Each structure stands twice: as structure tokens, then as C-alpha cells.
Amino acid sequence: WCGFCVRGYVAMKMMAEEHPDRFLGIAVHCGDEMSYGPYDNWISTVINESYPGCIINRDGNIYDPNYEELTYVMGLMDDVAKAGISVSGVIDETSNKVLMTAEVTPSYSATGEDLRVAFVIREDGYVAKQKNYYAGGSYGPMYGFETMSSTCALPMYDVARTIVPTMEGEKGSIPSSIQKDQTYKYS
């Protein structure tokens, strides 16, 4: 329903292609067929003025998801990274369950921290209708969207389908006392 969201679509796709080892996007859809209730409810309290918008590392700021803004913020990430995070998952095809493991390696030591892990399962390739306000070029060029129709069918990427256990993460999943460069695992 948000015709300007193609801006985020383009930026996330470009960032994933240019920074495959550093960029992980999560597309939160609100009020459409790809909505996931807990994310939809949460994001609407955070980005409540206009869509599209994005949050980077939950730093409290709302960014416009355009390529230039995301590239700028990507450059800042080396300066502010508080931890290295690696995530792996295995699907048990018999039970159709996923076992996820996060390995978190802090870049600092501290006590009394409240760090938490939450796992997001994303889906790629689901084709959905997308409004396109860039159709016809009245809002300027947008990587080919200006030549598409005002409603187009697109394969969606990085669509948030679930978050486990909650938006806030699992309390105690990372100890409250952490040591720099020590790896903590949570499954």
C-alpha cells in the first residue's frame, strides 16, 4: 500500500549485493499480506510519522531507506560495532522445526548489561503486489521503477515472517557480565 516503499526495496537489494558479509536487512511489512503481527504492531509505534522508514541497529534513530542514507550509515558501523554476531540454523525436516544458534563476541567488557538475542526468520521470493509512486517518473528516477506500472508484482526479499521469542529478545540469553573478545552462544 505504500508507494514510496520501493525506495527501501531498491536500497536493501543494493546494500545486500554490495555488502553481502556486512548487511542484513529485515523488511517489515505493515498492513499488507506479508505483515507479521508482532513486528507490524511494534514498528508502527516506532516509525509512526511516515513510511518508508528504517531502524539501524536499534540506535533509536529513524532513517530514510534510500541508498545514499544506508551507505552513509554503513560507513559508521565500523566505528560503533559493539559485538560481532554470527548466526546459523538447521532445519529438522521431520519435525519442520529450526534450531538457531547465535554466537555473540562483544568488543568490550562490562557488568550489569541486559543484552538479548532474538531470532528473525525471513522469506525471499514471495511475489506480492506493490504500489509504485515512482511510475511515470513524476518523483524522479528510481532504478527502473519509473518505467513500471503504478501497481507491480515484485519478488519480495528479507520479509520478516517471525521473531523468536519476542521483539525484546530472550532475557538472559547473553550473560549480564561480559568479557571483551569472549564468544557467548545461545540456541
Side-chain angles (χ1 to χ4, degrees):
W1 61 267
C2 172
F4 290 115
C5 282
V6 297
R7 200 165 59 240
Y9 180 92
V10 168
M12 283 183 54
K13 193 168 191 292
M14 290 176 77
M15 294 301 290
E17 289 171 0
E18 289 183 24
H19 305 282
D21 297 331
R22 298 182 59 217
F23 179 82
L24 177 65
I26 300 171
V28 177
H29 288 257
C30 298
D32 66 19
E33 64 189 276
M34 292 171 291
S35 293
Y36 171 62
Y39 248 137
D40 195 344
N41 295 336
W42 176 77
I43 202 79
S44 65
T45 65
V46 178
I47 300 176
N48 53 15
E49 294 190 19
S50 66
Y51 289 90
C54 70
I55 301 163
I56 300 172
N57 290 343
R58 296 188 189 200
D59 68 0
N61 296 312
I62 306 301
Y63 298 92
D64 184 89
N66 63 61
Y67 179 73
E68 290 77 19
E69 184 104 341
L70 292 181
T71 300
Y72 167 74
V73 173
M74 197 70 170
L76 299 176
M77 288 179 68
D78 287 333
D79 297 334
V80 298
K82 294 182 177 182
I85 301 171
S86 173
V87 178
S88 60
V90 177
I91 298 173
D92 180 332
E93 297 197 20
T94 304
S95 66
N96 204 29
K97 292 186 178 185
V98 179
L99 173 63
M100 301 293 296
T101 300
E103 295 184 8
V104 180
T105 308
S107 60
Y108 65 101
S109 297
T111 57
E113 294 288 271
D114 184 17
L115 304 175
R116 301 174 183 206
V117 173
F119 295 104
V120 177
I121 295 181
R122 304 174 307 155
E123 179 180 10
D124 288 339
Y126 181 85
V127 177
K129 290 181 182 175
Q130 173 66 53
K131 291 280 187 186
N132 175 18
Y133 294 159
Y134 291 91
S138 61
Y139 285 103
M142 183 49 63
Y143 300 95
F145 278 90
E146 65 277 7
T147 64
M148 296 179 180
S149 65
S150 60
T151 300
C152 44
L154 297 173
M156 298 294 170
Y157 300 96
D158 307 315
V159 177
R161 287 306 201 179
T162 191
I163 187 164
V164 177
T166 66
M167 288 300 305
E168 292 79 30
E170 180 69 28
K171 187 167 181 68
S173 52
I174 303 296
S176 62
S177 293
I178 56 172
Q179 296 298 313
K180 179 180 180 176
D181 296 329
Q182 181 175 335
T183 299
Y184 302 92
K185 289 185 179 185
Y186 177 73
S187 295

